Amino acid sequence: MAEQGRVRWRRFLLILLPVATVTSLLVGAVAQGVVGATFVVSGQAFKLFTDELRGQDFTLSAGVVRDREGQAIPVIVTGVRRAFAKGLCQSALVRTPVGTVTIRITGGQDGNEVTIEDMVIDTAAARGAATLRGVELGRDASTLNGVPAARGPAGTFGGQSRTFTLHDVRLSARAVSAATLSLPDLGLKILRGEHECF
């Protein structure tokens, strides 16, 4: 019985590795602007954590993403024009025939920094400490100019700041897209069980 379990785990990995490779290529293509960043979301939230995120042009507006069934999911559309991150971790739980596994992506460890350009995060919830400069709250979301891709519908609430520094950032997100996401020390792991970033 134990032998049979090991065979199933190997088969699962044989299926997962090509999928992970294709996913990595697609992420790279999106980052380089080869593939469009608009996509149907899975409907499952995943977690993002960073020790520090600092940069220029931070925007907020309300939005909606849609899952495969067309169900609308409300989100906070968060835009970042240019930023640097330390201690970045992304985790997603996946149900498989061998039980729950965690896919973890890390970067910005041991003094390295992740470079981010034109990133949009469809956020379900967030926590952290923030210092914002040049703040505008209550601006019409359709006129946000810090990150044009993160603009919201005309007549709705929007906010932006010229510069920002965030610490101990914990996000529950539905989707992330970016023009550039440079991780000099990319780590990609699949772990059996639940091993989320926070």
Side-chain angles (χ1 to χ4, degrees):
M1 201 69 165
E3 182 64 28
Q4 206 172 28
R6 281 197 292 271
V7 170
R8 286 185 187 145
W9 181 244
R10 283 192 204 108
R11 284 182 185 165
F12 171 71
L13 286 177
L14 287 174
I15 293 167
L16 180 68
L17 289 175
V19 171
T21 301
V22 170
T23 301
S24 297
L25 291 173
L26 284 173
V27 168
V30 168
Q32 294 173 23
V34 176
V35 177
T38 301
F39 51 87
V40 174
V41 301
S42 67
Q44 175 187 354
F46 56 92
K47 292 186 175 179
L48 285 168
F49 172 84
T50 183
D51 290 324
E52 179 183 276
L53 181 68
R54 69 185 193 285
Q56 301 168 338
D57 293 320
F58 178 80
T59 64
L60 293 171
S61 64
V64 171
V65 293
R66 295 191 178 273
D67 64 14
R68 194 170 146 187
E69 282 74 43
Q71 179 183 356
I73 303 168
V75 293
I76 302 165
V77 181
T78 307
V80 171
R81 186 173 65 82
R82 182 169 173 77
F84 300 93
K86 293 179 181 177
L88 182 67
C89 176
Q90 179 269 320
S91 63
L93 298 179
V94 181
R95 311 292 175 205
T96 74
V98 296
T100 299
V101 298
T102 305
I103 297 175
R104 282 176 67 116
I105 299 172
T106 58
Q109 311 293 321
D110 302 321
N112 291 308
E113 284 192 329
V114 176
T115 304
I116 299 162
E117 291 182 0
D118 295 318
M119 180 171 69
V120 177
I121 306 173
D122 294 321
T123 308
R127 251 184 347 145
T131 300
L132 308 172
R133 291 184 175 84
V135 180
E136 298 176 347
L137 293 176
R139 181 168 172 160
D140 188 300
S142 67
T143 70
L144 297 174
N145 54 17
V147 187
R151 287 178 181 148
T156 63
F157 174 88
Q160 64 183 21
S161 70
R162 192 178 65 255
T163 65
F164 63 93
T165 303
L166 309 175
H167 293 282
D168 193 29
V169 181
R170 297 162 189 255
L171 296 176
S172 176
R174 296 288 184 174
V176 176
S177 61
T180 303
L181 184 61
S182 176
L183 295 90
D185 58 342
L186 171 67
L188 177 60
K189 289 183 181 178
I190 182 161
L191 304 168
R192 208 165 185 171
E194 298 187 11
H195 302 279
E196 293 182 284
C197 298
F198 64 89

